[in-house]
Amino acid sequence: MRPRFVLFGDSITQQSFQSGGWGAALTDRYARKADVVLRGYSGYNTRWALYLLAKIFPQGSQEAPAVVTIFFGANDAAPLDGKHAMQHVPLPEYKENLSKIISHIKFLSKETLVVLITPPPVCEEALQVTGWKIFGLKPDDASVRKNETTGSYAKACIDVAKQADVPVIDLWTCMQEKPGWQRSYLSDGLHLSEDGNAVVFTKLIEILNENGFSFEAMKWDFPEHSNVNSQNPAETAW
Amino acid sequence: MRPRFVLFGDSITQQSFQSGGWGAALTDRYARKADVVLRGYSGYNTRWALYLLAKIFPQGSQEAPAVVTIFFGANDAAPLDGKHAMQHVPLPEYKENLSKIISHIKFLSKETLVVLITPPPVCEEALQVTGWKIFGLKPDDASVRKNETTGSYAKACIDVAKQADVPVIDLWTCMQEKPGWQRSYLSDGLHLSEDGNAVVFTKLIEILNENGFSFEAMKWDFPEHSNVNSQNPAETAW
């Protein structure tokens, strides 16, 4: 009935309905006009995401989504020599997997707006200090993520977006432009704080506005209450 | 693919994805297991809600929702002699309309858990002081809602729930048990504050837990990342 905006990604997507989250903010903004569907999978990389594609985006069974955000890379970038090596995906395969995800979605409908989002920057210090609480690591374990490595995945994500001609949010770069980004935009060195969530929301709204999906441009599913004919409700344009 | 929890109601439902909102909190809690679908219609009463029923809950086109919350009454209770008289629905008709909504949903599937929610209490003082800012009323306009009147709609809602044998959250009563509820649970005298949203969330979780819809009792749509076979992903029970 309403167009669907599907949020496909890892834990940064899965957690996007926590207080101040970008998924919740998007749902609130598009209330009465679009359905926001949460398809975030904590811990997942692009290699595993491929196995979900056919079920999350099935062929023919329902109308294709209007918008899909693809937000992977934070786990693909886990160092091969670190504690989270099982999540690691080599850079060339990461690019290939992202391309496959885009192709699958565009195959269902060329009209679907696909938006890539790069992984956010990583604060290695925060991960080393508090990571053991979150990930069960000992304080002296090697860092589970390197910011430079994540940066190369972010650049690869931008390359894929250019090649596929889809818009991309370069979180890795834009977040680091703000002094103190480590604490203001990240909650634990890896995931987003409320301010970090607000950055994703703001950037995504810009892209939606530029691509025909502004709130104003979209239709209400049913009339605003002030347009209901209260004398003869049946006469309302339901 | 995932069971759906549909939130059907007026502005208190529509706004439930604002920061701290009960809809967003529910989506976060049931991430990976259920889809929360927002069907809140600001300003709507039960009379107008009937016109949406067949489209929001169509017959046969998709699997029936697992859970539906029905949260109307705040507008039905608008006094006939006040500024919002066009939203008023007489008490007997309110009960009849609620029954019709329940019947429609239960007709689609007897398995669907229907949860009624009474309107929250109203703070007339807050509405008179700040209402003009929110509703465009002059400070000396008559109150747009009376708490006693809303209370009679809450009681009627409970009657309907008993008759239909469905669970109900008596917000009107339980919120007023806390001293200072006017400021702590309401944002403007009519809508919910973050703490008020938390009350709805907590009470709803209790009912879900009691009726077989605890998070623990429900299935994951795809494996947790720790259950992925990282050596041979294809061997994972996707």
Side-chain angles (χ1 to χ4, degrees):
Chain A
M1 191 170 62
R2 292 184 194 173
R4 288 178 305 130
F5 294 179
V6 181
L7 314 184
F8 188 39
D10 54 33
S11 57
I12 305 173
T13 296
Q14 183 177 325
Q15 296 175 7
S16 69
F17 284 75
Q18 292 181 355
S19 193
W22 63 276
L26 197 69
T27 309
D28 183 54
R29 173 67 64 92
Y30 285 88
R32 310 282 296 270
K33 296 201 174 179
D35 282 334
V36 177
V37 181
L38 177 59
R39 289 293 178 270
Y41 294 88
S42 178
Y44 273 56
N45 55 30
T46 54
R47 185 185 289 164
W48 306 340
L50 294 183
Y51 290 94
L52 317 187
L53 269 185
K55 289 185 185 167
I56 294 182
F57 303 102
Q59 210 173 330
S61 70
Q62 55 183 350
E63 211 165 317
V67 178
V68 178
T69 60
I70 303 173
F71 193 172
F72 285 101
N75 297 317
D76 300 62
L80 245 186
D81 59 353
K83 191 92 176 181
H84 291 172
M86 69 173 278
Q87 293 172 303
H88 173 81
V89 172
L91 202 53
E93 186 192 332
Y94 169 69
K95 293 179 73 169
E96 204 179 314
N97 293 342
L98 279 184
S99 296
K100 283 179 184 168
I101 296 171
I102 298 171
S103 298
H104 180 93
I105 294 164
K106 286 286 194 182
F107 176 76
L108 297 182
S109 168
K110 286 181 182 168
E111 301 303 313
T112 299
L113 173 67
V114 171
V115 182
L116 286 192
I117 308 176
T118 77
V122 165
C123 175
E124 296 167 24
E125 292 72 21
L127 276 176
Q128 272 161 355
V129 173
T130 65
W132 64 276
K133 289 186 192 162
I134 303 156
F135 300 109
L137 302 175
K138 291 177 191 159
D140 57 349
D141 278 333
S143 174
V144 290
R145 299 288 188 285
K146 302 281 183 194
N147 193 38
E148 201 185 321
T149 308
T150 297
S152 64
Y153 283 74
K155 284 179 189 65
C157 176
I158 295 164
D159 287 349
V160 172
K162 278 185 186 156
Q163 211 168 352
D165 195 24
V166 303
V168 60
I169 300 173
D170 181 3
L171 272 194
W172 192 80
T173 301
C174 79
M175 283 190 165
Q176 290 183 80
E177 286 166 359
K178 184 182 164 174
W181 58 269
Q182 294 90 338
R183 286 178 169 269
S184 57
Y185 289 151
L186 303 174
S187 61
D188 56 11
L190 183 61
H191 297 97
L192 302 177
S193 67
E194 289 204 14
D195 282 350
N197 272 284
V199 173
V200 179
F201 175 69
T202 304
K203 296 282 177 189
L204 184 54
I205 291 291
E206 282 173 18
I207 288 177
L208 294 173
N209 287 346
E210 288 162 3
N211 287 275
F213 291 100
S214 69
F215 179 80
E216 292 71 22
M218 296 181 71
K219 286 182 189 162
W220 294 81
D221 63 346
F222 291 109
E224 288 186 85
H225 70 91
S226 54
N227 292 329
V228 171
N229 184 333
S230 62
Q231 295 301 315
N232 294 299
E235 302 294 313
T236 303
W238 304 108
Chain B
M1 188 170 61
R2 293 184 194 174
R4 287 179 305 131
F5 293 0
V6 181
L7 315 183
F8 188 39
D10 54 33
S11 57
I12 305 173
T13 296
Q14 183 177 325
Q15 296 174 7
S16 70
F17 284 75
Q18 291 181 355
S19 193
W22 63 278
L26 197 70
T27 309
D28 183 54
R29 172 66 64 93
Y30 285 87
R32 310 279 296 268
K33 297 202 174 178
D35 282 334
V36 177
V37 181
L38 177 59
R39 290 291 178 271
Y41 294 88
S42 177
Y44 274 57
N45 55 31
T46 55
R47 184 185 290 165
W48 306 340
L50 294 182
Y51 290 93
L52 316 187
L53 269 185
K55 289 185 185 169
I56 293 183
F57 304 101
Q59 209 173 331
S61 69
Q62 55 183 354
E63 213 166 315
V67 178
V68 178
T69 60
I70 303 173
F71 192 172
F72 285 101
N75 297 317
D76 299 62
L80 245 187
D81 58 353
K83 192 91 174 181
H84 291 172
M86 69 173 278
Q87 293 172 303
H88 173 81
V89 172
L91 202 52
E93 186 192 333
Y94 168 70
K95 294 179 73 167
E96 204 180 316
N97 293 342
L98 278 183
S99 297
K100 284 180 184 168
I101 296 172
I102 298 171
S103 299
H104 179 93
I105 294 165
K106 286 285 194 183
F107 175 76
L108 297 183
S109 167
K110 285 181 183 170
E111 302 303 313
T112 300
L113 174 66
V114 171
V115 182
L116 285 192
I117 308 176
T118 77
V122 166
C123 176
E124 296 167 25
E125 291 72 20
L127 276 177
Q128 272 163 352
V129 173
T130 65
W132 65 276
K133 289 186 192 162
I134 302 156
F135 302 108
L137 302 174
K138 291 178 191 157
D140 58 350
D141 277 333
S143 174
V144 291
R145 300 289 189 283
K146 302 282 184 193
N147 192 39
E148 201 186 321
T149 307
T150 297
S152 63
Y153 283 74
K155 286 181 187 65
C157 176
I158 295 163
D159 286 349
V160 171
K162 280 187 183 153
Q163 210 168 353
D165 195 25
V166 302
V168 60
I169 300 172
D170 182 3
L171 272 194
W172 191 82
T173 301
C174 77
M175 284 192 163
Q176 290 183 81
E177 285 166 358
K178 184 183 166 176
W181 58 269
Q182 295 90 338
R183 285 177 171 270
S184 58
Y185 289 151
L186 303 174
S187 61
D188 56 11
L190 183 61
H191 297 97
L192 302 178
S193 67
E194 289 204 14
D195 283 351
N197 272 283
V199 173
V200 179
F201 175 69
T202 305
K203 296 281 175 187
L204 185 53
I205 291 291
E206 282 173 20
I207 288 177
L208 293 174
N209 287 347
E210 288 163 4
N211 287 276
F213 291 100
S214 71
F215 179 80
E216 292 72 21
M218 297 181 71
K219 287 181 190 162
W220 294 81
D221 63 347
F222 291 109
E224 287 185 87
H225 71 92
S226 54
N227 292 330
V228 171
N229 183 332
S230 62
Q231 295 301 315
N232 293 301
E235 302 294 313
T236 304
W238 303 108

